[in-house]
Amino acid sequence: MPPSVEQRTTNGVAPHAQQDRSNLIPFSSRLKEGRALAQDVWSIFNAANLPADCINLGQGYMNFPPPDWVKHGAEEALSSVAANHYSHPRGRIRLREAIRSHYSPQFGRDLDVESEILVTSGANEGQYSVFVAFLEQGDEVIMFEPFFDQYLPSVTFNGGVPVYVPLHPPKHNGKHSSSEWTIDFDELRRAVTPRTKMIIVNTPQNPVGKVFTRHELEQIAAIAEEHNLLVMSDEVYDSLVFDDNEHVRIATLPGMWDRTVTVGSAGKMFAATGWRVGWLIGPASVIQPTLAATTRIVFCSNSPLQEAAAVGLEQAQKRGFLAKQRDEYAERRDILTAGFDRLGVKYTNPQGSYFVLLDISSVKWPEDYPFPQSVEGRGRDFKACWFIAMEIGVSSIPVSEFYCEEHTSIGENYARFAFCKDVDTLKHAVERLQKLKKFLA
């Protein structure tokens, strides 16, 4: 016997057979403003979309583990009781004390573990919490392009308006240093308005590898002082500065401690990007409001891995770990760049971080090459990176993803290659990349 009309209703409301029920509830406009809904570069160039034997030099995670003595710290924490439960929202005291011991000499001050250090669930969550704590609707945030892609949605989700100031690449042929990517300070000054609240500095810079000079930071500091701006200094690659370049912390410049929050990362320092342990260092006037924000976002960060990060910081100096690691990364960089030299292509030699930008403007492919829909309508670099991944077997990341639409033409000349991989993998990738020569104009 067929069901009655009453039986076919839901909660007393008759169904509408033709109604599209796939998007009944409208989502927030902030998702669109922050490019969060667009198919991002990470999903397009995901290993699942590429040949199974493609060597991944795109995403910036390591293919080797953290040091054994740091992993042992995690194992000890997991076998305890307290470290498997909630930590204080400020972070576990052992880690905060380790951060104080490691960083106080670098900042030239005795950091207060109760008011000037905050442990966060990765550097990214720490940055997000700063935006939550300080941005009002319509506040403007200056960021240098190319920028770490998480900055954009983190700013717009919290009512901020991104203002873009590009780093200008050198125009000469051949390889060049990341130091040659320059700031036009007149352009930076013009970007400041009465609504400007914050400026983001990333040094060493992802993806360029630029280490900002003292003089550059002094000029940024002067602008911040003149216009009363908060400076977020993203220094997650601070332990990876090469060739005796000086890593200057903008917070140590005259008058800048009181308006700067410095961002650090255990993941970058100890090859443990999945641990999601980071920290913020700054004055109480910045850390305390940010603590209020992060407490409501995550409450606390991963307890056992905070203990492991503390072990890492406690032992890094006595083991000579950071200097040894820096030299190992310099060797990896040199393997990759030597391969580019053999190819005869233009690239940016990084002063820091673990990325090299390759100029792919001369890469050519057949007019009828079958590109997927996901790279159509994007910068030319999306097609170049896809072509290199499919035909050469080495993946990279198109740099126009790290620019606003207005400045895409700058970024689409470059592909980002990560050298945070073991030596054998890099040597294999370099040999494959030599096959790119026949596709160069």
Side-chain angles (χ1 to χ4, degrees), residues 153-282:
S154 295
V155 167
T156 59
F157 283 10
N158 289 289
V161 178
V163 176
Y164 307 101
V165 176
L167 298 175
H168 295 279
K171 297 180 180 178
H172 62 80
N173 291 324
K175 77 174 182 180
H176 50 261
S177 169
S178 56
S179 65
E180 297 178 72
W181 287 68
T182 57
I183 303 168
D184 181 334
F185 280 94
D186 289 333
E187 190 175 17
L188 177 57
R189 285 189 171 275
R190 289 194 300 271
V192 180
T193 76
R195 291 307 306 266
T196 306
K197 182 71 168 287
M198 186 185 304
I199 183 168
I200 303 173
V201 176
N202 178 203
T203 181
Q205 206 260 5
N206 172 14
V208 172
K210 177 183 176 66
V211 175
F212 283 57
T213 66
R214 182 177 295 274
H215 182 58
E216 287 170 330
L217 293 173
E218 286 172 344
Q219 293 181 83
I220 294 170
I223 292 171
E225 279 283 293
E226 179 182 350
H227 298 280
N228 192 31
L229 306 182
L230 174 63
V231 175
M232 177 185 288
S233 190
D234 182 350
E235 302 180 22
V236 298
Y237 299 101
D238 59 356
S239 60
L240 297 175
V241 177
F242 312 122
D243 308 324
D244 297 321
N245 283 287
E246 181 188 18
H247 175 62
V248 179
R249 298 188 185 278
I250 192 170
T252 65
L253 299 182
M256 290 304 293
W257 168 258
D258 296 324
R259 63 172 67 258
T260 303
V261 57
T262 301
V263 185
S265 167
K268 302 298 190 295
M269 186 178 287
F270 298 116
T273 57
W275 286 12
R276 312 311 298 145
V277 176
W279 46 79
L280 305 177
I281 297 172

Side-chain angles (χ1 to χ4, degrees), residues 349-361:
N349 196 40
Q351 301 164 289
S353 80
Y354 45 62
F355 303 110
V356 177
L357 296 190
L358 176 68
D359 188 323
I360 42 81
S361 59

Side-chain angles (χ1 to χ4, degrees), residues 320-332:
F321 169 72
L322 294 178
K324 180 175 181 288
Q325 177 177 250
R326 182 187 63 237
D327 292 343
E328 290 171 346
Y329 271 92
E331 178 190 4
R332 296 179 180 115

Side-chain angles (χ1 to χ4, degrees), residues 57 74 77-78 92 147 165 222 224 260 270 369 393:
L57 300 190
L78 286 167
R92 296 187 70 78
F147 55 84
V165 176
T260 303
F270 298 116
Y369 191 81

Side-chain angles (χ1 to χ4, degrees), residues 81-103:
V81 174
N84 283 284
H85 297 288
Y86 295 126
S87 295
H88 192 286
R90 295 184 190 278
R92 296 187 70 78
I93 187 61
R94 182 180 181 183
L95 178 53
R96 283 183 282 140
E97 289 177 342
I99 291 168
R100 176 180 63 186
S101 297
H102 182 80
Y103 285 99

